[in-house]
Amino acid sequence: MAERTVDISSPILSRNERLAAELRERFARTHTFVVNVLSSPGSGKTSTILATDALLREYGLRSAVIEGDIASDVDAITMKEAGIPAVQINTGGLCHLEGNMISQAVDALDEGVGLANIDVIFIENVGNLVCPVDFDLGENLCVMILSVPEGDDKPVKYPGIFQHAGAVLLNKIDVAPAFDFDRDAYNATLDDLNPQAPRFEVSATKGTGMDAWAAWLREQIAAVRA
């Protein structure tokens, strides 16, 4: 009997695309802008979301967060302590979030604070530079965060996630003098991979560059609502 190869990825991705379309329609009805935050572990996703939320509040925008982790609820607790509604998703080993997980988390947010009362949802995806790119979550914007200590060669090693991003944040620039990070090489690679995506150099914990990032994000939110 000849060997057969069964491709299970097609039905999984097809189902996810359907769920993502339903989520996108749901977000559109409540005028909720959704940001899918991608990065490797330790890049500063949580600190960036916290700092961004603080600035968006000055514009009168209300945020909520969906936290994706393999285990633990540390980040969700951090968000709640900062006054941000948050729902934790534990994937149990899965290296990315999927539409069905987001649907359940959105249900919880809707029940808790009301989706119509949320202007922006940040989805803090699982720290991974490969799998999350394949799964649409109904978001308006994908943001890629790279931190200086990770090195300027990450876009070369993981081109897909940088090509997919609608904006790229280079975080932890306050420690750049301590690392051999070649900004010219980094920018040259992004010029080839994704020249249209805006780039921001920030330090989420120090506040450097965050005003420009938050102002740009506010413009994207306003454009979608218009």
Side-chain angles (χ1 to χ4, degrees):
M1 181 177 177
E3 291 186 0
R4 292 181 59 196
T5 300
V6 179
D7 183 3
I8 64 171
S9 65
S10 294
I12 292 173
L13 290 174
S14 177
R15 181 185 69 143
N16 190 80
E17 289 172 2
R18 175 178 56 79
L19 290 170
E22 293 173 358
L23 283 166
R24 192 165 280 112
E25 291 176 1
R26 184 175 184 181
F27 296 141
R29 288 195 298 270
T30 57
H31 306 289
T32 305
F33 191 92
V34 180
V35 183
N36 188 3
V37 184
L38 310 173
S39 80
S40 58
S43 65
K45 291 191 297 295
T46 302
S47 58
T48 300
I49 292 171
L50 286 169
T52 303
D53 168 73
L55 292 168
L56 291 181
R57 289 189 191 195
E58 296 179 6
Y59 296 124
L61 296 173
R62 301 157 297 182
S63 303
V65 179
I66 296 174
E67 289 286 351
D69 283 299
I70 291 175
S72 89
D73 59 353
V74 173
D75 291 337
I77 291 173
T78 299
M79 294 297 173
K80 291 176 181 177
E81 289 176 346
I84 308 172
V87 175
Q88 181 71 52
I89 297 174
N90 290 135
T91 66
L94 203 62
C95 60
H96 59 272
L97 295 176
E98 297 182 6
N100 62 313
M101 303 174 188
I102 301 301
S103 293
Q104 294 179 49
V106 171
D107 286 343
L109 285 174
D110 202 10
E111 182 178 344
V113 296
L115 200 57
N117 296 316
I118 301 171
D119 299 301
V120 185
I121 295 177
F122 292 97
I123 300 174
E124 185 171 345
N125 218 311
V126 179
N128 188 316
L129 297 183
V130 181
C131 304
V133 175
D134 292 330
F135 290 85
D136 185 355
L137 304 179
E139 70 271 14
N140 300 96
L141 174 69
C142 277
V143 176
M144 171 61 198
I145 301 176
L146 172 70
S147 65
V148 166
E150 295 175 74
D152 56 78
D153 60 350
K154 275 294 189 293
V156 176
K157 294 179 178 179
Y158 302 93
I161 199 164
F162 287 91
Q163 289 172 321
H164 183 72
V168 181
L169 274 63
L170 178 62
N171 193 24
K172 305 185 183 181
I173 60 167
D174 54 308
V175 300
F179 292 88
D180 185 20
F181 189 96
D182 190 333
R183 275 185 170 88
D184 290 337
Y186 161 76
N187 282 305
T189 303
L190 289 185
D191 286 342
D192 290 335
L193 293 175
N194 193 349
Q196 68 273 15
R199 304 166 203 170
F200 301 90
E201 293 193 1
V202 305
S203 172
T205 57
K206 303 295 184 182
T208 307
M210 292 299 296
D211 285 334
W213 150 245
W216 179 84
L217 180 58
R218 181 196 179 202
E219 290 175 0
Q220 309 316 300
I221 295 168
V224 167
R225 288 184 166 185

